Amino acid sequence: MVAAPSPMGAPDASGRFGSFGGRFVPESLVPACMELETAFSEAWADAAFRARLSSLLASYAGRPTPITECPRLSAELGLDIVLKREDLAHTGSHKINNVLGQALLAERMGKRRLIAETGAGQHGVATATAAAYFGMQCAVFMGEVDVERQALNVFRMQLLGATVHPVRSGSRTLKDAVNEALRDWVASVETTHYCIGSVMGPHPYPFLVRELQRVVGDEAREQYRERYEGADPDVVVACVGGGSNAAGTFAGFAETAARLVGVEAAGGSAVGHGVPGIVHGMRSLFLQDEEGQVLEAESISAGLDYPGIGPEHAHLAELGRASYEAVGDAEVLAAFQVLARTEGILPALEPAHALAWVIRAARDKTLAPGTKVLLTMSGRGDKDVAQVKEMLA
Ligand SMILES: *Cc1c(COP(=O)(O)O)cnc(C)c1O
């Protein structure tokens, strides 16, 4: 018997997931992308590399992160909710899984400098953390507007030894920071690895980052089966900015019968309101105006304000293997408070989006009573407490 192809297999040779993905970069970056593709496929097939990464994830990042049952929240909603606790990982989110993997890969390629783009600063902080651990140089590109808005994260990166470059072009936010990082990479590719922060960018990044994040889904499935006598959840839910925590989570469950749901911010809903386009080296769905200019995403959670979505999610949406929902700021604020009150966990505003959808779906019976839900708690809410206080005032 021939097994059906997995809905989350590897992309084709040109880096496409269906009609999305690919590698749309200047001529000068093609060799760097190809070098990375080869290095990653060799490393990923090398048991010694995998063992080294696992041991680093265990001793430094605190893996495996637990799953946590939520009896009081479950009773309130009439569901059976379990959280995958990426909020308990070092630096407070799933981002550490990606940056440690890419730093280890950079080391293997003989590159001693990491560059990264960042919006809210979280991926910049994660990359600076990995660079500090490996004793590498680190430069982070950040829109000038974000540098002003996220002064504390700029200081964090500096404490970790990184240089932060304010980007003054365009709207001076995340999408301009990506362009500037790509520009640096063209000039520095001999010595530098570009550490992309989500399942986006030119091939092989969407695949590479998903594989580095699949530890979330693989662990969760194993832990869930152990806890529930071999059963899988009915629904697996994760928030989507670029889509890395969701892709890593979904990868663990793609071959189960679980329904996969990605939740976007209403003001950044690339699946709901985006159109196909080629931006940042990939073909995917982006919020664009009539002239095809990429729009700013708007969200109370800075980590979800990417105006596009990773190409594999666009493909999963097209296949119908995953569905994508959008929630508004008021629902997110309510979800933040509900989890704090019922379970003693302050979620980051990003995964509070995933919970907001679960709450809505419980109320309108989209999820039948008793539905078993696994939700990826992608990060902790400490960073958002001041903002929540202001919004509730
Ligand atoms: C960065 C971030 C996200 C969004 O990124 P994805 O690539 O979509 O996972 C979600 N949650 C938290 C806590 C984050 O820090």
Side-chain angles (χ1 to χ4, degrees):
M1 225 179 84
V2 181
S6 164
M8 291 189 78
D12 71 16
S14 62
R16 297 220 178 209
F17 300 92
S19 65
F20 298 103
R23 178 185 290 153
F24 298 90
V25 292
E27 201 79 48
S28 51
L29 277 182
V30 171
C33 289
M34 291 178 68
E35 181 196 12
L36 181 61
E37 183 185 351
T38 305
F40 176 64
S41 77
E42 285 172 7
W44 217 224
D46 175 356
F49 180 87
R50 299 282 281 253
R52 200 157 160 235
L53 179 57
S54 291
S55 118
L56 194 58
L57 288 171
S59 66
Y60 187 69
R63 302 210 74 84
T65 59
I67 59 169
T68 300
E69 290 169 67
C70 298
R72 300 190 63 229
L73 176 68
S74 295
E76 192 159 316
L77 298 179
L79 302 170
D80 182 348
I81 300 174
V82 171
L83 305 177
K84 175 60 173 165
R85 301 292 306 280
E86 294 305 293
D87 58 317
L88 296 179
H90 178 46
T91 69
S93 85
H94 67 294
K95 286 190 169 71
I96 195 77
N97 307 323
N98 174 40
V99 294
L100 287 180
Q102 289 200 47
L104 201 57
L105 194 58
E107 185 188 65
R108 185 180 165 105
M109 291 188 291
K111 299 191 175 180
R112 303 292 307 164
R113 177 172 176 263
L114 298 181
I115 58 172
E117 82 292 339
T118 199
Q122 291 151 238
H123 174 58
V125 170
T127 306
T129 300
Y133 180 84
F134 282 89
M136 292 175 175
Q137 269 186 291
C138 182
V140 178
F141 295 89
M142 189 170 186
E144 197 173 44
V145 171
D146 292 326
V147 168
E148 281 158 25
R149 284 195 290 220
Q150 306 287 343
L152 207 52
N153 273 340
V154 172
F155 183 57
R156 276 197 186 96
M157 290 182 253
Q158 289 164 344
L159 283 174
L160 292 160
T163 309
V164 178
H165 297 280
V167 175
R168 300 192 172 86
S169 56
S171 57
R172 298 176 293 140
T173 57
L174 176 59
K175 63 186 164 67
D176 313 292
V178 176
N179 289 328
E180 205 53 43
L182 283 166
R183 215 161 293 151
D184 179 293
W185 202 32
V186 170
S188 65
V189 62
E190 295 288 309
T191 59
T192 298
H193 172 68
Y194 179 15
C195 185
I196 289 189
S198 191
V199 283
M200 49 172 253
H203 180 57
Y205 284 102
F207 175 55
L208 185 165
V209 176
R210 183 255 273 174
E211 287 300 284
L212 292 174
Q213 290 293 1
R214 73 177 302 136
V215 66
V216 177
D218 286 345
E219 274 178 18
R221 187 192 52 221
E222 197 181 310
Q223 292 165 322
Y224 199 94
R225 285 183 175 178
E226 200 164 299
R227 171 67 190 79
Y228 287 86
E229 290 157 7
D232 292 312
D234 301 313
V235 183
V236 172
V237 191
C239 65
V240 175
S244 69
N245 86 88
T249 303
F250 292 176
F253 292 93
E255 282 159 61
T256 72
R259 176 175 165 194
L260 308 177
V261 181
V263 184
E264 298 187 278
S269 171
V271 174
H273 301 294
V275 289
I278 294 173
V279 179
H280 296 152
M282 60 179 170
R283 180 169 189 276
S284 195
L285 299 172
F286 297 90
L287 300 177
Q288 297 172 56
D289 67 13
E290 277 145 35
E291 271 88 55
Q293 292 296 315
V294 177
L295 297 170
E296 290 283 296
E298 271 171 40
S299 163
I300 52 171
S301 112
L304 296 188
D305 63 5
Y306 185 64
I309 190 169
E312 190 172 20
H313 287 293
H315 178 56
L316 290 171
E318 197 169 77
L319 285 179
R321 179 61 190 93
S323 57
Y324 295 83
E325 306 283 345
V327 295
D329 294 352
E331 296 172 277
V332 172
L333 264 182
F336 183 96
Q337 296 170 82
V338 167
L339 192 67
R341 176 171 54 74
T342 58
E343 300 294 340
I345 296 170
L346 295 180
L349 284 170
E350 294 88 353
H353 284 68
L355 182 59
W357 176 76
V358 170
I359 292 171
R360 187 206 288 165
R363 302 236 159 99
D364 70 15
K365 301 283 186 281
T366 301
L367 295 179
T371 300
K372 291 183 289 171
V373 177
L374 178 101
L375 186 154
T376 295
M377 182 49 51
S378 57
R380 68 173 84 117
D382 306 46
K383 68 182 175 58
D384 298 320
V385 168
Q387 190 189 344
V388 169
K389 178 165 186 270
E390 210 165 279
M391 287 186 300
L392 291 175

